[in-house]
Amino acid sequence: MRAHFPNAFIKGVDISPERIAICRGRLLDAEAGRTQFEIGVSVRGEDAAVYDAVLAMAVFRHGQLGDYAVTENRLLDFDRFERAVTDLARTVRPGGYFVLRHSNFRFTDTAVAAEFETVGYAQCVSPLFDRSGARLPDQAREAALFHKR
Ligand SMILES: C[S@@+](CC[C@H](N)C(=O)[O-])C[C@H]1O[C@@H](n2cnc3c(N)ncnc32)[C@H](O)[C@@H]1O
């Protein structure tokens, strides 16, 4: 992230204290003022419309759904996914970007997606499921980059 955004304030949030400890351990002193890591399960405490870009990379997924023989998702709940991405989307400023990759659900199936325009696609490497849990047909690429109106 820092290589791509040399001057940005960057905040990383993860539910895992172990992973946050690894991130903090890797943080260079020179980065400390503009890079933060936080243990957390949601971004509900963040102010609205403050971030230029919010990325959720390989978070909304389950390894056992990676088996292409799975036709029904009984492991992840769409409503929880929708609540989480709605919280994330709230923190994106108008004109900013939301990135969703390697998810087992589609951002475009959520109500909050109406506030965004899809502006980028990427190779789809994870099986996708609809709101009811039914497996969607395989697709070569997926919507991945969303611009907030
Ligand atoms: C497959 S890793 C991906 C990590 C990183 N985003 C990347 O692309 O390398 C998934 C991460 O999501 C975190 N995670 C899972 N559920 C979460 C939640 N509800 N809130 C915050 N982080 C969560 C896990 O602890 C894990 O670090």
Side-chain angles (χ1 to χ4, degrees), residues 13-16 19 40-42 57-59:
V13 180
D14 198 291
I15 196 173
S16 160
R19 287 172 187 246
V41 294
S42 90
M57 313 294 278
V59 178

Side-chain angles (χ1 to χ4, degrees), residues 17-77:
E18 292 81 11
R19 287 172 187 246
I20 290 296
I22 292 169
C23 294
R24 287 179 177 151
R26 289 179 180 170
L27 188 61
L28 303 173
D29 287 345
E31 295 286 336
R34 55 199 182 128
T35 309
Q36 268 181 20
F37 295 108
E38 188 175 286
I39 301 164
V41 294
S42 90
V43 294
R44 212 155 292 165
E46 297 282 336
D47 289 339
V50 288
Y51 288 104
D52 295 319
V54 173
L55 300 84
M57 313 294 278
V59 178
F60 300 105
R61 59 180 290 107
H62 194 293
Q64 290 175 19
L65 297 175
D67 180 347
Y68 274 85
V70 175
T71 58
E72 193 179 350
N73 170 13
R74 296 171 189 268
L75 295 169
L76 299 175
D77 177 53

